[in-house]
Amino acid sequence: MTATTPGSSSTRVADRLAEALRPFVGGDLPVRLRAWDGSEAGPADAPLVELRSPAAVRRLVRHPGELGAAQAYVTGELEVHHDLDDALTHAWSVVAERNLSGVRPGPQAYVAALRAAVDAGTVGLPPRAPRSQAQVGGPLNALLGRRLHSKLRDRLAISHHYDLSNEFYSLILDDHMAYSSAYYTQPPSTPGYTLEDAQADKLDLVCRKVGLTEGATFLDVGCGWGSLSLYAAEHFGAKVTGVTIAAEQKKFIDARIAERGLGDRVEIRLQDYRDVPEAASGAGHFDAVASLEMGEHVGQQNYPTYAKVLHDAVKPGGRVLVQQMSRSGGRKGHPGGGPFIESFIAPDMHMRPVGETVDLLEAGGLEVRDVHALREHYVWTVDAWMERFAKAEERLTELVGEEVVRVWRLYLVGGRMAFRDGRMGVDQILMVRPGAAHTLPPRRDW
């Protein structure tokens, strides 16, 4: 039985909405709902969700499910008066227990929902998309001819996320500015063992896996803020070429190269991976190649091109390492992980089960030697990012505004849940290019 506030009548907004939603959620609301008129409905002991404006309902009507709820949350039209992780986990578990897959409410349910919306005064033109929502796949489609993963569209998609603010990212990431899963060689609770230590352990692991030595030539594809490029040069003496299509990232790395006196060892190019000239001949130029969490952004159709670039850039017998996120049992029509992340965080991203990625890399001519799963390490990494995010929230808001901060809060919490619950994974795939003897040790020490 749906609970209501003492003295409330059936005409109050929360009751109308709760009743209208019953066919869609399989019974009582999974949360306690408070409407803008002060009325409440739903289980008294469930997390409290407040609809602060009729605009929240209009968004949910326009985009039922995740996208509408995310839009309402980031704009502040919807508030969660509870720990966000706990609230989302609770709602997910209730819906999962009800096993609503395949359940399709009939026409009467939609008519009743529309009537409830009219009675609650929420019918009207849908609100405009939040300012923080990416426009890469919207109005610019006409300009770009809907060419998914064209070089221009990829540049716009990457710029939306990565050119936000170097200071913004510095407040969330570690001192290496590594924006990928760390590798925890000690329990995260170990006193004195920090996120920076775990990221250094990851960078060291990558360099050892690809066999870097003094003077080795190394290509870092999608180099981010230079964590791997700089580490390979400073700690292994490699001569590094890094490529990125994010202008703010290149500016940041160039400054660090100058500060550390690494101009003779590290070159960073503002360059698409498809334009790396050393890969054009196919003969192989670099002793080793790595690409950390960049393959998710190249798309399904372009992945064979990406694999070919990795293959063609490395010398025969040389090693290639790809660290990449995976997603099993993906949601139909949402290869990037869902409407929220595809609309607000990483437009055009494409994830797949790790086995399918291995198939594509092998089809590109590389021999896969190791697949190293790091899923739990990403949970610990995001835990550390969330702690830094919470401590710096006031400054982050000054930099990018409340709406973007709310986007990032939802992004971090949702991403952590996906890795925690096994809906997403992350793996290091180590390969060699056939054609010459490789130096990969028969017994690994990692």
Side-chain angles (χ1 to χ4, degrees), residues 165-345:
S165 161
N166 286 336
E167 184 182 352
F168 178 89
Y169 281 97
S170 72
L171 292 168
I172 299 172
L173 307 181
D174 69 300
D175 290 345
H176 295 286
M177 289 289 280
Y179 190 28
S180 56
S181 178
Y183 177 61
Y184 281 78
T185 60
Q186 299 183 44
S189 58
T190 302
Y193 187 74
T194 65
L195 172 63
E196 185 179 8
D197 295 325
Q199 288 291 9
D201 286 341
K202 185 269 301 293
L203 298 172
D204 186 76
L205 178 67
V206 170
C207 292
R208 288 189 291 114
K209 281 186 174 183
V210 297
L212 292 186
T213 55
E214 183 75 29
T217 55
F218 179 47
L219 176 64
D220 184 2
V221 181
C223 62
W225 285 275
S227 60
L228 178 59
S229 293
L230 296 171
Y231 195 91
E234 288 183 296
H235 295 271
F236 286 81
K239 294 185 69 67
V240 184
T241 301
V243 296
T244 177
I245 57 174
E248 287 298 307
Q249 289 182 339
K250 174 173 166 52
K251 188 186 305 181
F252 179 90
I253 309 168
D254 285 344
R256 282 202 163 177
I257 291 171
E259 290 169 4
R260 301 179 187 185
L262 294 172
D264 60 335
R265 288 189 178 183
V266 184
E267 176 196 4
I268 301 299
R269 302 173 185 164
L270 193 61
Q271 185 175 69
D272 191 280
Y273 71 95
R274 288 162 284 195
D275 295 329
V276 174
E278 291 88 349
S281 69
H285 174 84
F286 295 96
D287 294 313
V289 176
S291 186
L292 304 186
E293 296 184 26
M294 184 267 190
E296 302 89 339
H297 298 285
V298 305
Q300 184 72 351
Q301 290 186 337
N302 279 5
Y303 205 88
T305 300
Y306 172 69
K308 186 176 189 302
V309 168
L310 300 178
H311 172 278
D312 291 352
V314 75
K315 295 175 181 178
R319 304 181 204 175
V320 176
L321 183 141
V322 169
Q323 180 170 308
Q324 189 167 313
M325 291 181 284
S326 63
R327 193 173 188 97
S328 299
R331 299 158 68 179
K332 186 176 181 182
H334 293 289
F340 165 68
I341 195 168
E342 292 169 15
S343 298
F344 286 88
I345 303 298

Side-chain angles (χ1 to χ4, degrees), residues 84-101:
L84 188 56
D85 190 334
D86 289 347
L88 291 175
T89 298
H90 172 82
W92 272 73
S93 63
V94 170
V95 171
E97 287 173 4
R98 292 176 182 177
N99 193 22
L100 299 176
S101 59

Side-chain angles (χ1 to χ4, degrees), residues 124-135:
L125 293 175
R128 297 181 63 179
R131 292 190 305 275
S132 55
Q133 187 168 331
Q135 299 301 313

Side-chain angles (χ1 to χ4, degrees), residues 38-110:
S39 60
E40 294 186 10
D45 59 348
L48 176 62
V49 174
E50 180 183 5
L51 301 180
R52 291 174 165 173
S53 164
V57 177
R58 289 201 289 272
R59 292 193 190 280
L60 288 164
V61 169
R62 173 69 172 170
H63 298 290
E66 181 179 309
L67 181 57
Q71 288 182 332
Y73 177 79
V74 304
T75 56
E77 298 155 0
L78 180 154
E79 187 58 274
V80 179
H81 296 283
H82 198 87
D83 178 83
L84 188 56
D85 190 334
D86 289 347
L88 291 175
T89 298
H90 172 82
W92 272 73
S93 63
V94 170
V95 171
E97 287 173 4
R98 292 176 182 177
N99 193 22
L100 299 176
S101 59
V103 176
R104 296 289 181 270
Q108 289 182 333
Y110 286 95

